[in-house]
């Protein structure tokens, strides 16, 4: 599975995992900078994304429900129509993030 740059399509990270969630979690464990990543429509529910750098990332319509995003950098991220229900956003940087139509129930 590959994580690509949202604008250039350049591969940011590649792994042998079969799901995007496993691939993203592995990238974060390896301290990979996921800024500008294209994660639109990704199912990342129940993932531990603590401290992740997702600045400028495309998370359009992503499932981030029940996800730990504490201390994550979501500066300028596109979270349009994303599901953030029951997500831990404590100390996350959401400055200039697009949260239009996002589900923030119990976030």
């Amino acid at each position: 599975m590959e994580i690509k740059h949202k604008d250039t399509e350049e591969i940011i990270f590649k792994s042998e995992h079969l799901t995007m969630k496993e691939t993203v979690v592995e990238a974060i464990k390896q301290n990979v900078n996921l800024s500008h990543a294209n994660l639109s429509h990704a199912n990342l529910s129940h993932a531990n994304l603590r401290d992740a750098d997702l600045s400028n990332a495309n998370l359009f319509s992503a499932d981030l429900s029940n996800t730990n995003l504490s201390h994550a950098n979501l500066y300028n991220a596109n979270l349009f129509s994303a599901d953030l229900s029951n997500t831990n956003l404590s100390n996350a940087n959401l400055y200039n993030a697009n949260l239009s139509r996002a589900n923030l129930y119990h976030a």
Side-chain angles (χ1 to χ4, degrees):
M1 183 79 42
E2 298 173 341
I3 300 173
K4 295 183 179 179
H5 190 283
K6 68 177 185 170
D7 299 320
T8 66
E9 297 288 319
E10 179 182 337
I11 297 171
I12 297 171
F13 183 77
K14 185 176 182 178
S15 83
E16 299 299 318
H17 291 292
L18 299 178
T19 69
M20 185 57 73
K21 179 178 8 182
E22 293 171 321
T23 302
V24 170
V25 169
E26 180 182 340
I28 292 167
K29 285 180 183 176
Q30 294 184 25
N31 294 315
V32 173
N33 182 340
L34 296 177
S35 64
H36 299 276
N38 184 5
L39 298 170
S40 64
H41 301 282
N43 179 358
L44 303 173
S45 65
H46 298 275
N48 182 8
L49 306 182
R50 179 184 171 94
D51 296 317
D53 185 355
L54 295 164
S55 57
N56 297 291
N58 181 12
L59 291 153
F60 171 80
S61 201
D63 184 356
L64 295 160
S65 60
N66 299 289
T67 297
N68 180 9
L69 282 167
S70 62
H71 301 274
N73 184 4
L74 293 160
Y75 170 80
N76 206 40
N78 180 13
L79 292 156
F80 185 92
S81 197
D83 185 358
L84 294 158
S85 58
N86 300 301
T87 295
N88 181 356
L89 293 167
S90 61
N91 297 304
N93 178 2
L94 291 163
Y95 182 76
N96 210 40
N98 181 357
L99 293 165
S100 299
R101 297 191 181 173
N103 180 357
L104 294 166
Y105 182 75
H106 284 176

